[in-house]
Amino acid sequence: MKTINYFLIILIAFSCTMCNSSKKDQEEIVSTESVSKKEKHEHKTLTAKDSLKLANHQIEVKGEIEFPLQLTIDSLKKMKVVTIENLKITGKGGAIKREVKACKGVLLKDILDKAKIKQENHKDRNFYIVARASDDYKATFSWAEIFNNPTGENTYVLFEENGKPVKNGEMILICKNDIKTGPRHVYWLKSIEVYKVK
């Protein structure tokens, strides 16, 4: 009888320990969740003055290319300029954030053709392109997206919106055929960089 009581006491003590341990784990999970919610990154709205500080008067095209370029609005206007109508800028949730009736720009593909990517032969295609902003925001593209995909015919460096200069930086990059255009919409475009995958 004493042995049975002894085992019952041990069993009850073990159960209590497990309950307390589980409760402590739950508290740690709740605590971690509340910390991660507080640290959620939010984009601050920039003032016009702050936006002007980030604007660039030229874009540097560099990296694995034969002809490094310094592009200005004037040099873009001398290239093949395309007019895009009814451009919709959508956020990561898919909601339309902004609509532009008409804008002008140059295909990223045409800029890269002018800079000429250093390819050893026609099979050398392992490159990626980084569009970098003054605030270090980046959007990336693969060689295949630009030169062997409809994305190449829909990625532009824009310099004019609705007949006026672009507000957020003098030149911006946009990929028109992305399902959500916001993530690869680069304001304050500073450079276009070509790198080889190693």
Side-chain angles (χ1 to χ4, degrees):
M1 189 73 176
K2 285 182 181 179
T3 308
I4 294 171
N5 287 343
Y6 179 75
F7 279 121
L8 281 173
I9 291 168
I10 290 175
L11 186 63
I12 291 168
F14 180 75
S15 297
C16 289
T17 304
M18 292 305 292
C19 287
N20 286 340
S21 173
S22 176
K23 188 176 179 182
K24 188 177 178 183
D25 289 347
Q26 277 302 106
E27 286 171 359
E28 284 177 7
I29 290 167
V30 170
S31 173
T32 305
E33 285 175 355
S34 64
V35 168
S36 62
K37 282 179 186 174
K38 287 178 187 174
E39 291 178 3
K40 188 178 177 185
H41 180 71
E42 290 183 19
H43 295 286
K44 293 178 182 176
T45 304
L46 291 176
T47 64
K49 189 177 178 181
D50 289 335
S51 184
L52 278 173
K53 287 178 190 173
L54 292 168
N56 298 294
H57 303 297
Q58 63 182 17
I59 303 166
E60 187 179 6
V61 184
K62 60 185 181 178
E64 296 291 323
I65 54 171
E66 292 187 22
F67 308 109
L69 303 171
Q70 299 286 334
L71 297 174
T72 62
I73 291 173
D74 288 337
S75 57
L76 287 176
K77 286 180 178 177
K78 291 175 186 170
M79 296 177 71
K80 185 181 175 184
V81 176
V82 180
T83 300
I84 306 148
E85 295 181 350
N86 301 318
L87 177 65
K88 292 177 174 63
I89 312 300
T90 53
K92 63 180 181 179
I96 296 171
K97 291 188 160 193
R98 202 161 63 86
E99 292 185 57
V100 183
K101 289 182 182 178
C103 48
K104 288 185 180 179
V106 173
L107 281 171
L108 174 61
K109 183 166 113 172
D110 289 348
I111 292 169
L112 294 171
D113 278 340
K114 186 171 181 160
K116 197 171 182 196
I117 295 174
K118 290 180 182 176
Q119 292 176 274
E120 292 174 18
N121 55 55
H122 73 281
K123 291 183 179 179
D124 188 14
R125 305 177 192 126
N126 291 320
F127 295 90
Y128 63 97
I129 297 97
V130 178
R132 187 185 303 268
S134 298
D135 64 351
D136 211 34
Y137 184 83
K138 295 175 278 295
T140 57
F141 300 85
S142 68
W143 180 94
E145 276 186 291
I146 300 301
F147 294 100
N148 193 30
N149 188 286
T151 297
E153 299 301 325
N154 287 283
T155 304
Y156 301 90
V157 173
L158 303 177
F159 56 83
E160 185 181 295
E161 290 182 346
N162 298 324
K164 295 178 182 177
V166 170
K167 286 181 183 177
N168 293 325
E170 291 190 7
M171 294 161 274
I172 60 176
L173 182 132
I174 183 89
C175 182
K176 192 178 84 147
N177 72 328
D178 281 352
I179 295 167
K180 295 167 186 172
T181 55
R184 290 205 289 195
H185 190 185
V186 183
Y187 290 111
W188 310 293
L189 185 61
K190 175 184 175 182
S191 60
I192 295 165
E193 305 162 19
V194 179
Y195 298 104
K196 190 161 190 170
V197 177
K198 293 179 182 180

